[in-house]
Amino acid sequence: LSYPDFDQQLAEMMVEETELFFNQIVEDDASVLELLTADWTVINERLAEHYEIPGVAGPEFRVVEYADARRRGILGQGSMLTLTSHANRTSPVLRGKWVMEVLMGTPPPPPPPNVPELEESGESSEPGQFLTVREQMELHRESPSCNSCHQFIDPIGLALENFDVTGRWRTRDKSSPVD
C-alpha cells in the first residue's frame, strides 16, 4: 500500500469534517467566502494527526484553527483532495476541473476524442528517474487541442499539488520536490 495510514474510517471522518465545516459556516451565518478562506476546520484527533495539526485529543470533532496558512477552507480538506485524486497519484486535472465546476460554476469543455491518459509510471527518458505530475502535465499540454483547456484547469490543480492523494501535506513527490 502506498498510503498505509489511509483507510475507510479516515475517509468517512474526512467527509464528516466537510459536513461539520459547512454546518458551522451556516450556523455562524458566516460569509460564503469562508468556504475558501477559513483558517479553521472541524476535526478530531485522528484527522489532526493525519493533517499534522498538534494539540487535538479525543474522538470528538471540534473547531480547530490551523497553525499556518498551508490549509484554508474546503480546498485543504481531505474529502475534496481524495475525491479529486486517483488511487495512486494526485490529479491536477481532476482538482482543477472540480474547482471550476463545483466552486466557480464554469466547467471546462469535454476533452477531444482519443486523448491519451497520463502515463501511470511517469518514467523519464533517464532510467530510474521519474517525472513529477507537473512535468507529465507539461508534456500533455504540448498538444494544441489539449492546451486550450489545460491552460485554465492545470494552474488551479497544480496549486494543490502539495497535498498528496490522502490530503496530507508533502514537499516531495516520489524523489522530486513539489513545485
Side-chain angles (χ1 to χ4, degrees):
L1 270 182
S2 299
Y3 303 96
D5 296 331
F6 187 78
D7 57 23
Q8 186 61 37
Q9 183 181 25
L10 185 62
E12 290 169 5
M13 288 177 185
M14 289 175 175
V15 171
E16 188 169 356
E17 170 193 16
T18 300
E19 290 170 351
L20 293 170
F21 172 76
F22 181 80
N23 290 342
Q24 189 68 47
I25 289 173
V26 171
E27 183 179 311
D28 292 347
D29 195 25
S31 167
V32 71
L33 295 177
E34 282 281 299
L35 287 170
L36 299 175
T37 64
D39 62 355
W40 56 272
T41 192
V42 185
I43 55 175
N44 63 6
E45 181 177 7
R46 173 109 191 263
L47 276 171
E49 287 174 1
H50 184 74
Y51 294 156
E52 299 175 336
I53 298 172
V56 180
E60 45 301 312
F61 282 78
R62 84 260 353 214
V63 173
V64 175
E65 288 189 27
Y66 294 125
D68 56 46
R70 296 189 299 189
R71 290 184 191 272
R72 288 286 185 261
I74 196 167
L75 297 178
Q77 293 184 1
S79 63
M80 188 283 297
L81 296 162
T82 58
L83 174 72
T84 57
S85 292
H86 295 288
N88 60 342
R89 68 170 172 83
T90 60
S91 175
V93 175
L94 290 178
R95 289 177 176 181
K97 182 176 180 267
W98 186 88
V99 169
M100 289 180 73
E101 285 178 344
V102 175
L103 298 180
M104 301 170 82
T106 56
N114 302 320
V115 172
E117 291 288 324
L118 286 180
E119 293 293 322
E120 286 302 318
S121 70
E123 198 163 342
S124 77
S125 58
E126 297 180 37
Q129 295 293 320
F130 291 93
L131 298 174
T132 65
V133 172
R134 180 183 291 273
E135 291 167 335
Q136 292 178 56
M137 294 303 306
E138 287 169 0
L139 291 174
H140 183 75
R141 280 195 307 269
E142 287 179 0
S143 165
S145 64
C146 296
N147 190 28
S148 62
C149 293
H150 282 278
Q151 67 180 334
F152 301 108
I153 299 169
D154 295 355
I156 297 167
L158 287 168
L160 300 170
E161 193 59 16
N162 276 107
F163 294 106
D164 75 7
V165 169
T166 69
R168 184 173 270 160
W169 185 263
R170 65 184 179 164
T171 57
R172 301 192 75 73
D173 179 14
K174 297 183 177 101
S175 60
S176 301
V178 173
D179 177 10

